[in-house]
Amino acid sequence: MAAANAEVAHRAASDAELIAWVDEQDRVLGALPRAELRSRGLIGRGTFILLFNSAGELCVHRRTLSKAVYPGYWDIAAGGMVAAGESYARSAERELAEELGIGDAVLRDHGRFFFDQPENRIWCAVFSAVSDAPLVPQPEEVLEARFMSLEAAQRDTELKPYCPDSLVALQHYLANR
């Protein structure tokens, strides 16, 4: 019960966070609460970090059921929304540390793409990192996490629900690595 209450509190705080609001060309228009961006169909900025270990395995994780977008789905990227006034790179560093407990990895930038679905309109920055540090999943956002070969992860996406935006991030990474 305490874990569920923590998730609910985390979700409420997350919905109230001020997020970078941008247009279709990724120009900053201002800052709005995350929930308002979603409800109004506006565009925010997000980061996707593909975390590999030194054996070349990709970290996949399952999102908590309290997530506003894709609850309970599997995800092949750590990441999240870019806060108002925050750069893509700083957001990626923060998200990797928050979600998976990886704070010392060097991030490699693989460019941007626009993802446009109802309730999930975001300019996406794709990063990769390599780390063998132990994973420390954030319990309010991550139910479980593990490393698997890239090929196994790609096969797994055909069997389980995976976040569609992170699947596009993986395609972007593979085309731009």
Side-chain angles (χ1 to χ4, degrees):
M1 187 68 165
N5 289 340
E7 277 188 43
V8 169
H10 181 75
R11 165 76 190 276
S14 177
D15 280 348
E17 287 176 346
L18 288 180
I19 302 301
W21 168 34
V22 298
D23 65 13
E24 284 87 356
Q25 286 73 46
D26 197 21
R27 293 180 298 233
V28 176
L29 300 173
L32 290 170
R34 180 190 313 249
E36 184 176 345
L37 274 176
R38 272 195 319 273
S39 68
R40 292 178 54 194
L42 301 174
I43 303 167
R45 284 181 170 171
T47 55
F48 294 79
I49 308 96
L50 300 163
L51 177 65
F52 295 90
N53 61 22
S54 59
E57 296 173 316
L58 177 64
C59 179
V60 300
H61 68 275
R62 186 162 176 240
R63 297 162 61 89
T64 58
L65 299 175
S66 64
K67 298 292 285 181
V69 179
Y70 314 125
Y73 277 48
W74 286 88
D75 208 336
I76 55 146
M81 301 301 288
V82 177
E86 188 176 44
S87 70
Y88 280 116
R90 176 64 194 112
S91 174
E93 290 170 355
R94 175 180 54 76
E95 291 287 350
L96 187 58
E98 286 176 4
E99 285 186 14
L100 298 175
I102 305 297
D104 62 349
V106 175
L107 294 175
R108 186 167 165 221
D109 190 332
H110 299 282
R112 319 265 179 280
F113 67 92
F114 181 54
F115 186 82
D116 194 1
Q117 280 190 344
E119 295 188 33
N120 192 19
R121 302 182 74 212
I122 50 176
W123 266 99
C124 308
V126 181
F127 295 88
S128 66
V130 176
S131 177
D132 289 319
L135 297 175
V136 184
Q138 181 181 19
E140 296 85 8
E141 295 204 21
V142 179
L143 289 173
E144 59 183 296
R146 65 177 176 268
F147 284 96
M148 58 177 40
S149 73
L150 186 55
E151 295 78 19
Q154 288 173 306
R155 283 192 307 272
D156 203 44
T157 66
E158 297 170 12
L159 304 172
K160 298 176 185 167
Y162 271 78
C163 299
D165 51 3
S166 68
L167 294 179
V168 176
L170 176 61
Q171 292 169 357
H172 187 85
Y173 163 79
L174 291 171
N176 295 288
R177 58 181 165 171

